[in-house]
Amino acid sequence: MSKLGEFCTPCFARHKTKPAVHWCPSCEESLCSKCGSHHKVQTSTKSHQLNSLSDILMLPSVAMTISLTCKQHDMKLDVFCSDHSEPCCWKCLSENHSKCQQKGPLDKVVKNAKSSESFNTLVENVQDIIEITDNLRKKKKENYKQIESRKNEMEIQIKGFRKDVIKYMELFEKNLLENATQTFNVCQGEMQETYNNLNAFYKQCSDIDKRLTNMKTFASDLQTFLGARSLRNRVATIETGILGLRKQLGDYKLEFKSPLNIDNFKLNMASLKDIQIVRDEYKESFKFQKITHAQAMLQQTPRDVHEVIANNKADIDLVSRSRISEDLYNRFQNISLTPELKIQQKFVLSHTKDYININGCVILSNDDFLFTDYDNSSLIRYSNDGVKTRTIKLFSNPWGVCEVQNNTVAINYPAQSTIQILDISSSRTKVKTSFQTENICSAISYDSPNLVTVVRTTGIQIYDISGKLLNTVKIDFNDIRDIAIHSSKLYYTDWKRDEVVNCEMDGTICWRFKRQVLKCPNGLTVDYDGSVFVVGTSSGNILRISSDGSSAKEILRTEDFFKSPTGIYLQKEKRSYRSPRWASLSIRWLPDSGSAPFPERCLR
């Protein structure tokens, strides 16, 4: 639908400003009361239905944005192509839909749409979802109260545990002091006994020494000879006694059997400090699932049917045969699944250095490719057929890149805590804006008309393109490598925590995704339906995460094509129904690897 005018369209064309009161959906024009009367009687327009402008304003935005005119050819949309599920003009029909099998007049296709079974089913499904989500909301509120109550219980347990620890430590101290006293007494007794024996031996030998001196001075030779023999036996007895005390002659020490060290105690206590969240699986089925999934399959193109079946195989098996014909049901069971991504193109990045380090990638509005080379401080530009067109030298090492306007890009330089807006339309690059961030800027994205950045130790900061700070969002993160925006929500990868996070613009966490299959998540991009595509640098794969973060599917093992991927980009602005365009890339090339890295462009 064209934009509703405040004034009558025909009158405004004649430079008159009359307030509009009617809207003609066929002509897509606002009409005043006079022009509306003429509209009802003219031969070419008398069959048109005129609606009150106030009633039209009550239509939802999804209906307000629908136009009956082809945006590409400025012609009326007269034909509906069922193969692509889109209306088209006659020129589109000849150019893009000549090979399509199912197409017909648009007016016949939409006739009785309000009373059709599919519309009524949609209404029923919406009502079912309202009922289900309302019940789930109530359960979540109850669960929140339970969690809050459990938290209070844990606080009481923690305080009780502290008292038990203090009581135990007091008893432990008492026992330890008693044990020290008892051990000292035993040691003292052994040492005293040894000392007494040595003292006796000392006195005996002193007496023998005195006798030998007297014998030497006063005794005859015979007396000395016979007396010495007797004393020699006594000395031998003393020597034997001293040898018997060998084990008691060393120094005594008192030591703890296990070191009394607070670090050991802390280590044992550390295992008690973690409190985990246990998420029970929601096992109840939703009554809208079976019908909705079956209808979704009936409306998809062959390529999309594969994806639907792959993601919902269990639900398809449960679809009621009464709602789908036997023939269609059997066809769904026999469809063979094919990979979601296929290599469309690859090309080698030429290089002049021993090492090339590609981190950021973007597909420009004119379909050119742009890569950031961190180690060589440059931007590398390629045409969409893989021909290198330009190398742009930069003042420092770039990380991320995003397009803010046609041939105008924003780049973040982590080492310099700087963001630049560059005009790359000519051979001479022009710096339009350059500004500093509070700390290292590790990621950047563009959400028209503002830049969204990640600043270490600060959070997510939003700037306008002149460099004015508009807002700071405080979040808990470790090492964010990439950030994206979709439907007023933030998505980012935390490298060190191995997780992908979705949050509101105020930092409120919607969901966190962390699985063993994803290691060191780096680049990410978000599709129209909110699906998140993320590359795992260490796990060597690309995952597709559902819009609610509850599940994921590995859509590509990058080891089959390249190693250590870091970036991925979806050119949503140029996306067609069948073939959205992608760019994903590898970052590392070393001299002994034989060739430079090659980005891959894929089709789903």
Side-chain angles (χ1 to χ4, degrees):
M1 180 180 290
S2 298
K3 187 176 180 180
L4 292 175
E6 180 182 357
F7 303 107
C8 175
T9 305
C11 292
F12 194 79
R14 298 194 297 272
H15 306 291
K16 296 180 180 180
T17 55
K18 289 188 177 182
V21 295
H22 300 293
W23 171 260
C24 178
S26 300
C27 299
E28 294 188 321
E29 290 184 345
S30 301
L31 302 171
C32 64
S33 57
K34 185 176 180 180
C35 290
S37 300
H38 294 163
H39 210 73
K40 292 178 180 178
V41 298
Q42 288 179 349
T43 304
S44 59
T45 60
K46 64 182 181 181
S47 61
H48 294 182
Q49 178 183 354
L50 294 185
N51 298 318
S52 169
L53 200 62
S54 59
D55 293 339
I56 292 298
L57 291 174
M58 296 177 64
L59 286 175
S61 58
V62 66
M64 295 283 284
T65 55
I66 296 174
S67 175
L68 299 178
T69 304
C70 176
K71 294 180 180 180
Q72 184 177 358
H73 302 112
D74 197 26
M75 296 176 64
K76 187 177 180 181
L77 299 174
D78 291 317
V79 181
F80 186 82
C81 175
S82 298
D83 289 356
H84 291 88
S85 296
E86 62 182 11
C88 55
C89 67
W90 289 104
K91 198 166 184 179
C92 286
L93 191 66
S94 60
E95 292 179 359
N96 304 322
H97 304 273
S98 58
K99 295 183 179 180
C100 296
Q101 300 297 320
Q102 299 181 7
K103 50 196 173 185
L106 182 61
D107 56 350
K108 291 185 178 180
V109 174
V110 303
K111 188 177 181 180
N112 300 323
K114 297 179 182 179
S115 60
S116 65
E117 181 180 356
S118 62
F119 185 81
N120 292 332
T121 303
L122 176 61
V123 173
E124 292 176 4
N125 287 347
V126 170
Q127 292 173 349
D128 289 341
I129 293 173
I130 291 174
E131 179 184 351
I132 290 169
T133 52
D134 184 51
N135 291 333
L136 291 175
R137 285 191 312 158
K138 293 177 181 177
K139 288 184 178 180
K140 278 299 171 187
K141 287 184 177 180
E142 293 175 0
N143 185 221
Y144 177 79
K145 292 179 180 179
Q146 294 170 354
I147 293 297
E148 190 174 29
S149 175
R150 176 56 182 154
K151 179 242 183 188
N152 295 333
E153 291 176 2
M154 293 177 73
E155 289 179 349
I156 295 173
Q157 286 180 335
I158 292 170
K159 292 177 180 178
F161 176 74
R162 177 177 177 273
K163 292 180 180 179
D164 290 341
V165 170
I166 293 174
K167 185 177 179 180
Y168 172 78
M169 288 304 299
E170 291 175 349
L171 180 62
F172 176 79
E173 179 187 15
K174 180 182 177 182
N175 293 335
L176 195 60
L177 290 173
E178 291 178 355
N179 190 19
T181 302
Q182 292 174 0
T183 305
F184 170 76
N185 292 335
V186 172
C187 180
Q188 186 184 39
E190 290 184 5
M191 292 180 68
Q192 185 63 48
E193 182 182 357
T194 302
Y195 178 83
N196 292 338
N197 290 330
L198 291 173
N199 189 48
F201 293 146
Y202 173 80
K203 290 179 177 180
Q204 292 176 25
C205 284
S206 296
D207 181 64
I208 292 173
D209 181 61
K210 184 182 293 186
R211 291 186 182 188
L212 289 173
T213 302
N214 291 334
M215 288 173 62
K216 185 177 180 180
T217 304
F218 304 109
S220 65
D221 290 339
L222 177 62
Q223 291 173 329
T224 301
F225 175 77
L226 295 175
R229 290 186 61 183
S230 175
L231 294 175
R232 189 177 295 112
N233 292 332
R234 290 183 62 186
V235 170
T237 301
I238 293 172
E239 289 176 347
T240 302
I242 293 174
L243 290 175
L245 296 176
R246 178 179 293 276
K247 292 183 180 180
Q248 288 81 35
L249 296 180
D251 291 340
Y252 280 61
K253 297 177 182 178
L254 291 180
E255 293 182 350
F256 290 104
K257 192 171 184 180
S258 297
L260 193 65
N261 192 323
I262 190 64
D263 292 335
N264 294 333
F265 181 76
K266 288 180 179 179
L267 185 63
N268 293 328
M269 293 295 291
S271 62
L272 301 177
K273 72 177 183 178
D274 294 331
I275 298 176
Q276 63 180 352
I277 299 175
V278 179
R279 297 177 177 86
D280 293 338
E281 182 182 355
Y282 189 80
K283 297 182 178 180
E284 296 183 21
S285 60
F286 299 124
K287 61 182 178 181
F288 63 80
Q289 277 185 310
K290 299 177 183 179
I291 298 175
T292 303
H293 290 177
Q295 290 171 343
M297 290 184 290
L298 291 171
Q299 296 171 3
Q300 302 293 333
T301 63
R303 183 185 299 275
D304 289 322
V305 171
H306 295 168
E307 180 180 340
V308 173
I309 293 179
N311 293 332
N312 304 284
K313 188 73 167 61
D315 292 322
I316 293 173
D317 293 334
L318 298 175
V319 174
S320 172
R321 303 282 185 103
S322 63
R323 299 301 298 266
I324 305 176
S325 70
E326 186 76 13
D327 177 61
L328 279 176
Y329 183 89
N330 291 330
R331 280 198 289 152
F332 288 150
Q333 304 306 307
N334 296 327
I335 290 177
S336 60
L337 304 180
T338 57
E340 290 187 277
L341 296 182
K342 294 180 180 179
I343 295 298
Q344 183 190 38
Q345 181 183 10
K346 68 180 179 181
F347 49 88
V348 176
L349 296 182
S350 60
H351 58 92
T352 58
K353 303 284 185 178
D354 289 339
Y355 188 91
I356 190 168
N357 189 344
I358 302 297
N359 286 289
C361 66
V362 67
I363 303 177
L364 302 176
S365 300
N366 65 350
D367 291 341
D368 281 4
F369 289 79
L370 198 64
F371 305 98
T372 60
D373 184 355
Y374 183 86
D375 279 38
N376 297 305
S377 301
S378 61
L379 282 177
I380 308 173
R381 186 168 184 169
Y382 281 77
S383 60
N384 61 359
D385 57 358
V387 177
K388 181 180 178 181
T389 58
R390 190 180 174 196
T391 298
I392 304 171
K393 292 299 294 180
L394 303 173
F395 91 102
S396 185
N397 310 96
W399 189 266
V401 59
C402 58
E403 187 179 39
V404 298
Q405 294 174 1
N406 187 24
N407 275 317
T408 302
V409 296
I411 301 172
N412 64 303
Y413 303 86
Q416 304 295 331
S417 300
T418 300
I419 294 175
Q420 283 189 336
I421 310 294
L422 302 180
D423 183 350
I424 58 173
S425 57
S426 62
S427 58
R428 192 168 184 178
T429 303
K430 179 182 178 182
V431 179
K432 299 179 69 173
T433 307
S434 181
F435 58 94
Q436 296 284 120
T437 55
E438 298 176 2
N439 206 323
I440 293 174
C441 178
S442 61
I444 189 170
S445 185
Y446 182 66
D447 183 30
S448 181
N450 300 319
L451 290 171
V452 181
T453 66
V454 177
V455 180
R456 292 262 180 96
T457 71
T458 300
I460 296 174
Q461 293 192 321
I462 301 175
Y463 295 84
D464 63 19
I465 57 175
S466 68
K468 180 181 178 182
L469 179 61
L470 303 178
N471 188 25
T472 297
V473 181
K474 295 291 184 179
I475 58 173
D476 176 31
F477 68 97
N478 196 315
D479 186 5
I480 294 180
R481 292 301 179 93
D482 200 6
I483 187 169
I485 303 94
H486 174 74
S487 296
S488 300
K489 290 186 178 181
L490 297 169
Y491 300 78
Y492 59 87
T493 55
D494 198 322
W495 170 276
K496 292 183 179 178
R497 292 179 177 175
D498 291 333
E499 65 181 10
V500 178
V501 182
N502 170 226
C503 68
E504 301 287 353
M505 294 300 290
D506 62 357
T508 303
I509 301 298
C510 298
W511 52 260
R512 295 179 184 270
F513 179 89
K514 186 172 183 177
R515 300 287 190 279
Q516 288 295 327
V517 71
L518 182 64
K519 295 296 182 183
C520 297
N522 208 325
L524 85 163
T525 188
V526 186
D527 204 348
Y528 276 109
D529 60 359
S531 297
V532 181
F533 296 83
V534 58
V535 295
T537 300
S538 294
S539 52
N541 54 1
I542 298 177
L543 295 186
R544 177 182 180 180
I545 304 173
S546 62
S547 58
D548 61 357
S550 62
S551 61
K553 180 180 181 182
E554 186 180 76
I555 60 174
L556 186 69
R557 291 294 301 177
T558 60
E559 61 189 15
D560 297 332
F561 309 99
F562 48 79
K563 294 182 178 180
S564 302
T566 58
I568 186 168
Y569 182 82
L570 169 63
Q571 190 185 29
K572 292 191 286 189
E573 289 76 13
K574 294 291 184 71
R575 174 182 177 178
S576 65
Y577 186 79
R578 288 180 179 270
S579 56
R581 304 180 65 247
W582 301 81
S584 59
L585 58 129
S586 172
I587 64 166
R588 295 181 178 82
W589 176 77
L590 299 173
D592 59 358
S593 62
S595 63
F598 51 89
E600 306 281 355
R601 184 169 62 169
C602 309
L603 285 180
R604 180 172 64 179

